């Protein structure tokens, strides 16, 4: 069994899993903050939970960046053929620009709620 192929697949799984953790953490912070606003007496319980989820999102972001870099170095050229690869690369660039904007907006949203 080729260990490099196993690593490439495992790296992709970890990348996708960390992305899900990041999104879930941001959503959890939003829901917790909403509960905090509706019921201020829960502040002592909810604030530490918000911070906990925030730091999990930061850890997930670091994993996303590290495994994304790993994907860059393990990219298989012309897997789908030259024409399809040109379109695929263009779409990957667009996707990553959009995702960077989503991450930036996500942290802008979350930091204002967690560290108020």
């Amino acid at each position: 069994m080729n260990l490099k192929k196993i690593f490439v697949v495992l790296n992709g799984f970890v990348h996708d899993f960390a992305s899900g953790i990041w999104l879930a953490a941001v959503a959890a912070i939003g829901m917790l903050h909403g509960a905090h606003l509706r019921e201020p007496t829960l502040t002592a319980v909810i604030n530490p939970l918000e911070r906990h989820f925030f730091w999990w999102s930061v850890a997930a972001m670091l994993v996303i960046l590290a495994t994304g870099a790993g994907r860059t170095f393990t990219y298989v050229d012309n897997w789908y053929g030259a024409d399809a690869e040109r379109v695929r690369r263009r779409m990957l660039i667009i996707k990553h620009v959009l995702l960077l904007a989503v991450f930036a907006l996500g942290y802008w949203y979350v930091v204002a709620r967690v560290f108020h």
Side-chain angles (χ1 to χ4, degrees):
M1 202 174 265
N2 186 339
L3 286 179
K4 183 179 177 183
K5 288 181 182 180
I6 292 171
F7 171 74
V8 169
V9 172
L10 183 61
N11 184 67
F13 288 165
V14 172
H15 184 79
D16 294 343
F17 188 69
S19 298
I21 289 172
W22 182 86
L23 184 59
V26 169
I29 290 167
M31 292 186 328
L32 286 168
H33 195 72
H36 170 207
L37 294 176
R38 285 188 303 279
E39 192 57 56
T41 58
L42 297 175
T43 299
V45 175
I46 290 179
N47 280 351
L49 286 173
E50 287 178 343
R51 287 183 183 87
H52 178 78
F53 280 108
F54 174 79
W55 291 112
W56 270 102
S57 78
V58 170
M61 176 59 69
L62 293 174
V63 171
I64 292 165
L65 291 172
T67 54
R71 280 182 159 183
T72 300
F73 296 115
T74 59
Y75 184 78
V76 178
D77 205 19
N78 289 324
W79 180 264
Y80 299 104
D83 291 338
E85 280 301 318
R86 276 192 290 280
V87 173
R88 183 171 179 260
R89 284 177 190 231
R90 192 174 315 121
M91 291 175 75
L92 280 170
I93 290 168
I94 293 167
K95 177 187 93 167
H96 283 92
V97 167
L98 289 173
L99 287 176
L100 285 173
V102 167
F103 284 135
L105 288 172
Y107 276 118
W108 174 76
Y109 171 80
V110 163
V111 168
R113 279 144 188 81
V114 172
F115 301 105
H116 50 82

